[in-house]
Amino acid sequence: MKWQAVKGTHDVLPEQQAAWRQLLAAVELELGRAGARELSTPVFEYSEVFEKSVGESADLVVQKEMYTFEDRGGRRLTLRPEFTAGVLRAFIEHGMHTLPTPVKLWSAGPLFRAENVQRGRYRQFHQVNLEIIGLSQALADAEAIDLLYRTLRACGLTRVRMRVGSVGDPDDRAAYNAYLRRELEPLRARLSEASRERLRLNPMRVLDSKAEQDAAVLEGLKRPIDFLGGAARAHLDEVLERLRDWDVPFEIDPGIVRGLDYYRRTAFEAHYEGIGSQSALGGGGRYDGLIESLGGPPLPAVGWAMGSERVLDAMEQEQAVAAPPDRPVLFLVPLDEDAVNEVAALAVRLRRAHRVEHAYAPRNPGKGLRDADRRGAVYAGLRGASERAGDEVQLKHLGSGEQTRVRVAELERFLQEVS
Ligand code: AMP
């Protein structure tokens, strides 16, 4: 067997960590300012938690993507393919419905889906997820959309495009699904296999297909927005009005649908040009019936998830990552046996305030300087018999080549001044 990461999974290498931290810092700041608090849930749950939330007419495409297994006690468990179900399970389990509404919860971490792997589509990937629970007003939908936009801006992205639409109330959805069945049934044979399956279970999802053959069939057909009843239409208009008020740029997308069938009314996505065909950075919507169907109180909710890998890809495109320098300010080189423990002790002391590294065995000056250089150190500090006599370190600035002797007692202050 080959020692390599499983297809569709990635290591986050040391040099990539700063970008991840920057993303999460932006999330924490933006969502925290809006009163959202962080909730972490386990990576796996009883399978029913996800099966139930995916819905009766569960899209087989979604079901097949789940990593489900039996543990040693014979329990059926699933690695989370999305955040919402687990977050709501925790919300109900901990009685959070007694907290003042709205309850705003954000989460971040890995998700697992057995997908066809391509750029921007992986089997282990990460999301940041937000839920706003307890508000049915359009104001909450607009706040959710604004927060997604604002969070992406805070990550340093300037080319984000928000798309907003509506899948309507359950009756509107049913009418639209009936319309699609009527129109598409005669054209079944021309649809992709996945779309034929969706046509049977949840026709609206055919609109989500990226297959070219499906696009041709769908051309000219009406979109969910054409089937909105009065209440859903008024709700959408109100959401759009708030977004205009708050200067959140958006386009109306008449054909927007969400993957799972618990969504109703508002649906939205954030897109980005320049990260390949998988251009959605995030998406969300309103899901008023879901908490009740999971055994909780009848609370409305709206939320979104954004894909961290895609956001990082976009951050790289815009060179939005402000990586702090990843190098020691000082690399100490012992020139003789006695100096090995001396420089180690010195490093331990200086690390209270500075990044200091050292060689672990005596080096000659040439090799020692090369070691320091390979680590990108700002200064190399040599210590041997002559430095010991004056209790000093001989410092060399590796950029300019300039040399100075600094007394050990003064070293901490010296580093303070140069860092
Ligand atoms: P979803 O949970 O499917 O609504 O996806 C929300 C966001 O997560 C998408 O807009 C993507 O940015 C990201 N995403 C979804 N699936 C994947 C995947 N397989 N690999 C990487 N990112 C993904």
Side-chain angles (χ1 to χ4, degrees), residues 20-42:
W20 280 84
R21 266 199 299 276
Q22 188 176 322
L23 186 159
L24 288 169
V27 165
E28 196 174 340
L29 186 70
E30 288 302 320
L31 301 185
R33 282 177 175 168
R37 297 162 75 214
E38 184 176 8
L39 170 72
S40 305
T41 62

Side-chain angles (χ1 to χ4, degrees), residues 23-279:
L23 186 159
L24 288 169
V27 165
E28 196 174 340
L29 186 70
E30 288 302 320
L31 301 185
R33 282 177 175 168
R37 297 162 75 214
E38 184 176 8
L39 170 72
S40 305
T41 62
V43 160
F44 52 83
E45 300 267 356
Y46 291 116
S47 302
E48 290 87 340
V49 171
F50 300 115
E51 285 162 0
K52 196 112 207 226
S53 76
V54 164
E56 288 302 308
S57 69
D59 196 316
L60 283 197
V61 183
V62 174
Q63 286 239 355
K64 271 194 221 141
E65 285 176 357
M66 290 198 210
Y67 284 103
T68 296
F69 58 97
E70 251 184 39
D71 74 358
R72 286 200 260 179
R75 288 168 283 258
R76 281 182 64 248
L77 305 176
T78 297
L79 297 183
R80 64 184 179 203
E82 51 127 8
F83 269 111
T84 300
V87 167
L88 296 183
R89 191 267 313 137
F91 176 88
I92 296 167
E93 183 171 337
H94 300 286
M96 289 190 221
H97 60 277
T98 60
L99 297 172
T101 46
V103 178
K104 299 177 188 173
L105 298 168
W106 70 269
S107 307
L111 301 182
F112 307 85
R113 296 181 193 172
E115 306 239 35
N116 289 322
V117 176
Q118 53 175 294
R119 180 176 179 187
R121 192 166 285 287
Y122 312 112
R123 292 184 178 165
Q124 177 179 329
F125 63 101
H126 296 72
Q127 280 186 349
V128 172
N129 184 81
L130 173 72
E131 316 285 352
I132 302 178
I133 300 166
L135 295 176
S136 54
Q137 298 96 302
L139 192 52
D141 309 44
E143 185 180 23
I145 295 168
D146 175 65
L147 283 173
L148 177 54
Y149 179 69
R150 220 160 274 288
T151 302
L152 291 166
R153 289 294 301 234
C155 288
L157 303 182
T158 60
R159 304 200 298 258
V160 178
R161 305 171 69 114
M162 303 302 292
R163 296 185 193 162
V164 185
S166 174
V167 295
D169 282 311
D171 284 350
D172 310 335
R173 287 184 70 135
Y176 184 63
N177 276 333
Y179 160 81
L180 273 187
R181 264 202 194 99
R182 228 168 27 243
E183 295 289 324
L184 289 178
E185 212 46 73
L187 308 171
R188 254 190 101 73
R190 288 171 50 197
L191 289 171
S192 67
E193 193 194 331
S195 288
R196 288 205 292 270
E197 183 71 27
R198 287 169 168 172
L199 182 57
R200 194 166 68 77
L201 293 165
N202 186 3
M204 197 181 259
R205 283 274 282 141
V206 176
L207 295 188
D208 238 2
S209 166
K210 302 282 180 290
E212 258 173 48
Q213 70 190 97
D214 294 338
V217 180
L218 291 170
E219 224 180 74
L221 289 186
K222 292 186 181 169
R223 304 287 145 165
I225 222 167
D226 304 316
F227 278 75
L228 296 187
R233 180 77 239 181
H235 189 92
L236 176 63
D237 288 341
E238 173 85 25
V239 173
L240 302 182
E241 184 130 349
R242 291 290 75 73
L243 294 178
R244 287 190 198 103
D245 265 4
W246 303 343
D247 293 325
V248 180
F250 67 88
E251 307 156 24
I252 296 172
D253 184 340
I256 207 163
V257 294
R258 298 294 304 149
L260 303 177
D261 36 342
Y262 52 68
Y263 283 97
R264 62 184 63 169
R265 296 198 174 177
T266 315
F268 53 92
E269 289 177 354
H271 283 262
Y272 195 85
E273 302 285 331
I275 53 167
S277 64
Q278 304 300 312
S279 68

